[in-house]
């Protein structure tokens, strides 16, 4: 059974740091892209970062580039989203998703490309 479980969300002050984890079970990562999406209050869900486990390529959208980093720990079947210098505008529910793709990623992820989704984790940035 395919399952993605996010963790690591919470309440943090502006300028703070969080690391989100996406632990995958039911398949091995090698042929999949793992992406992070977020849905801010009152807005549509948006893709912010993705990582190809096929070749290790990764992409981060401009709005979070320099603050957010995506990485993986293959031995743990886990992908991370390191979030630094958090801003109130980063407040959102963050989702990880998996889509089968054996290739390079070089653009933001689109929802329809991903078959499996986690339940989401809330990140709140507030003083």
């Amino acid at each position: 059974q395919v399952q993605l479980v996010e963790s690591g969300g919470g309440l943090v002050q502006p300028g703070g740091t969080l690391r989100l984890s996406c632990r995958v079970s039911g398949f091995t990562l090698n042929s999949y892209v793992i992406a992070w999406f977020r849905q801010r209050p009152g807005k549509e869900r948006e893709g912010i970062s993705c990582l190809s486990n096929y070749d290790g390529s990764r992409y981060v959208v401009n709005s979070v580039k320099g603050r957010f980093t995506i990485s993986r720990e293959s031995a743990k079947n886990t992908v991370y989203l390191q979030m630094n210098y958090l801003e109130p505008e980063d407040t959102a529910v963050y989702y990880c998703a998996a889509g089968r793709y054996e290739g390079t990623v070089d653009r933001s992820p689109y929802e329809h490309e991903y078959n499996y989704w986690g339940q989401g984790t809330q990140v709140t940035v507030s003083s």
Side-chain angles (χ1 to χ4, degrees):
Q1 181 182 357
V2 174
Q3 202 170 15
L4 286 77
V5 179
E6 302 99 335
S7 61
L11 173 64
V12 64
Q13 292 187 343
T17 294
L18 284 175
R19 188 178 77 161
L20 305 184
S21 300
C22 175
R23 185 173 180 278
V24 174
S25 61
F27 64 92
T28 55
L29 289 175
N30 291 355
S31 298
Y32 284 81
V33 172
I34 302 296
W36 286 96
F37 292 79
R38 69 182 180 185
Q39 187 163 21
R40 293 184 281 185
K43 298 195 174 183
E44 293 185 353
R45 190 156 55 184
E46 59 177 335
I48 57 172
S49 187
C50 53
L51 184 150
S52 168
N53 287 282
Y54 178 75
D55 65 0
S57 58
R58 58 203 72 192
Y59 184 86
V60 178
V61 298
N62 287 337
S63 60
V64 301
K65 189 174 291 183
R67 300 190 298 121
F68 290 12
T69 304
I70 191 170
S71 64
R72 64 181 173 177
E73 191 170 359
S74 300
K76 294 187 177 181
N77 248 25
T78 299
V79 174
Y80 303 100
L81 186 68
Q82 179 70 40
M83 306 188 296
N84 299 330
Y85 305 107
L86 283 161
E87 304 168 352
E89 293 72 26
D90 295 317
T91 294
V93 179
Y94 285 73
Y95 301 88
C96 66
R100 189 175 179 93
Y101 177 66
E102 295 180 344
T104 299
V105 295
D106 57 6
R107 58 163 174 79
S108 57
Y110 299 135
E111 286 191 50
H112 69 271
E113 297 171 325
Y114 293 83
N115 306 102
Y116 306 108
W117 291 79
Q119 81 287 353
T121 185
Q122 176 71 47
V123 171
T124 302
V125 185
S126 175
S127 55

